[in-house]
Amino acid sequence: MARWEPDARLRLVQAAIDVYAEQGFESSTVAQVAERAGLTKATFFRHFPDKREPLFAGQDEHGALFTAGAAEAPANATPLEVVTAALDHATATFTAEQRAFGPRLRAVVAAHDELRERAAFKRAHLAEVLTTSLRERGIPDPTAAIAADLGVEAFHRAFARWSDGEGPSYGELAREELRALHAAATSLS
Amino acid sequence: MARWEPDARLRLVQAAIDVYAEQGFESSTVAQVAERAGLTKATFFRHFPDKREPLFAGQDEHGALFTAGAAEAPANATPLEVVTAALDHATATFTAEQRAFGPRLRAVVAAHDELRERAAFKRAHLAEVLTTSLRERGIPDPTAAIAADLGVEAFHRAFARWSDGEGPSYGELAREELRALHAAATSLS
């Protein structure tokens, strides 16, 4: 049966957030999420490998965006300038839908250990990808790792503020957070 | 049936590392781990809630040790000095057994996504605990979060070096890593 599935991926993400928020993650099924989205279970599994992944949709793309953004920084850019370029490139892709469901998404993840675990893993992966970009530019360890950590932290802090309705653009908030994190890192002693 | 179980916990940790390294994590069972340790499955579950936890034994204690160490720092200590006190306190507890099985433990975790996921979560939790200690001393956000991140990163980097046989003490390696990370963080721009 061919089905009409425009925006199937986005509908599944929104349905997953709704279903998990209403009845808890553990007692929810893929079938329920698919049904809420008006799609089949088979369609769900064409987009996501398991019940957790709709909540992290796009996070693999963020790594690719960081890499592409970092590559655009000039050859003589400082580590912080490379991270800024990566953030600028990644934050530019975020949509009004993502802003709208950000707070509920974060609440669902925060309420379930199994989801917080996946979130921590995704975050670590994103930091590794950015570290690799920095190292490939000749930035040594541990500078590359620290710069990447600040970048990923800024990315997440800015997303929380942006999806709570703060600020004119995600990109501006991310730059602001990165500056604040860097200032904090230089004033520890 | 009463069983003689001295060091049952440590034997289960070592058995888990052996069994998972030999046959892979997914195809291993709690019964096999218990049998390898010469203990019952019931004993396993008195010590650990699931198949993954033996590999992270002690990580909850690390948080408590960080908290206790941070509390011992003088009132006028800088954020970096508080983190150093936390590291000193936590690293002092590590035993020769932990040093001996460190490399195999890290190899098993690195080879399985499900274990890397748990490791990322444990690490995030440890950073949260240390952040809380710093904030309770009046150190504001994001300084507390950055200081805690550097501390947890130093803790893990030093453990890798120490269990690979480097250096006279874990504590010295942790201090060295923290200094290197802080130096890197101040030279990003």
Side-chain angles (χ1 to χ4, degrees):
Chain A
M1 180 175 70
R3 289 192 65 132
W4 183 72
E5 299 176 9
D7 298 325
R9 194 173 167 87
L10 178 63
R11 281 157 59 196
L12 287 165
V13 170
Q14 290 174 322
I17 295 169
D18 289 343
V19 172
Y20 303 161
E22 285 165 23
Q23 62 190 52
F25 175 73
E26 287 80 3
S27 53
S28 300
T29 66
V30 163
Q32 290 169 329
V33 172
E35 190 187 351
R36 181 72 62 100
L39 297 165
T40 64
K41 207 167 139 182
T43 301
F44 179 99
F45 285 117
R46 272 203 296 284
H47 290 276
F48 301 108
D50 66 34
K51 211 172 79 170
R52 293 194 280 183
E53 282 298 312
L55 302 185
F56 305 101
Q59 296 214 2
D60 294 334
E61 293 148 38
H62 301 163
L65 291 165
F66 275 0
T67 301
E72 285 174 11
N76 64 348
T78 65
L80 209 61
E81 286 166 349
V82 178
V83 171
T84 302
L87 288 174
D88 283 349
H89 199 78
T91 53
T93 66
F94 279 74
T95 63
E97 283 90 353
Q98 283 167 299
R99 185 170 199 162
F101 63 60
R104 298 190 67 215
L105 171 63
R106 287 185 291 118
V108 168
V109 172
H112 298 90
D113 271 2
E114 206 181 337
L115 296 173
R116 292 172 61 208
E117 196 162 287
R118 178 70 57 97
F121 189 49
K122 291 280 180 181
R123 186 192 175 107
H125 175 71
L126 201 54
E128 274 171 30
V129 168
L130 188 50
T131 300
T132 300
S133 283
L134 290 157
R135 295 198 63 155
E136 283 172 357
R137 296 178 67 97
I139 297 166
D141 180 72
T143 306
I146 294 299
D149 277 352
L150 295 188
V152 172
E153 179 74 17
F155 186 68
H156 285 96
R157 284 175 180 247
F159 181 71
R161 290 177 57 191
W162 177 71
S163 64
D164 281 342
E166 270 191 76
S169 89
Y170 186 5
E172 280 173 57
L173 290 169
R175 280 172 170 253
E176 186 181 311
E177 288 292 336
L178 185 62
R179 278 194 300 273
L181 290 167
H182 181 240
T186 58
S187 62
L188 297 180
S189 64
Chain B
M1 178 177 68
R3 288 193 66 132
W4 183 73
E5 299 175 10
D7 299 326
R9 194 173 166 88
L10 178 62
R11 281 157 59 196
L12 287 165
V13 171
Q14 289 173 324
I17 295 170
D18 289 343
V19 171
Y20 303 162
E22 285 164 23
Q23 62 189 51
F25 175 73
E26 286 80 6
S27 54
S28 301
T29 65
V30 163
Q32 290 168 330
V33 171
E35 190 187 350
R36 181 71 62 99
L39 298 165
T40 63
K41 207 167 139 182
T43 302
F44 180 99
F45 285 118
R46 273 203 296 282
H47 290 276
F48 301 108
D50 66 37
K51 211 171 77 168
R52 293 194 279 184
E53 282 297 313
L55 302 185
F56 305 100
Q59 296 213 5
D60 293 334
E61 293 146 39
H62 300 163
L65 291 165
F66 275 180
T67 302
E72 285 173 11
N76 64 348
T78 66
L80 209 61
E81 286 166 348
V82 177
V83 171
T84 302
L87 287 175
D88 284 348
H89 198 77
T91 54
T93 65
F94 278 74
T95 64
E97 282 90 353
Q98 284 167 299
R99 185 170 198 162
F101 63 60
R104 299 191 67 215
L105 171 63
R106 285 185 291 117
V108 168
V109 172
H112 298 89
D113 271 2
E114 206 182 335
L115 296 174
R116 292 172 62 208
E117 195 161 287
R118 179 72 56 97
F121 189 49
K122 291 280 181 181
R123 186 192 175 109
H125 176 69
L126 201 54
E128 273 171 31
V129 168
L130 188 50
T131 300
T132 300
S133 283
L134 290 157
R135 294 198 63 154
E136 284 172 356
R137 297 177 66 97
I139 297 166
D141 181 71
T143 306
I146 293 300
D149 277 352
L150 294 187
V152 172
E153 180 74 16
F155 186 68
H156 284 95
R157 285 175 179 248
F159 181 71
R161 289 177 58 190
W162 177 71
S163 63
D164 281 342
E166 269 191 77
S169 88
Y170 187 6
E172 281 173 57
L173 290 169
R175 279 172 170 253
E176 187 180 311
E177 288 292 338
L178 185 62
R179 278 194 300 272
L181 291 167
H182 180 239
T186 57
S187 63
L188 297 180
S189 65

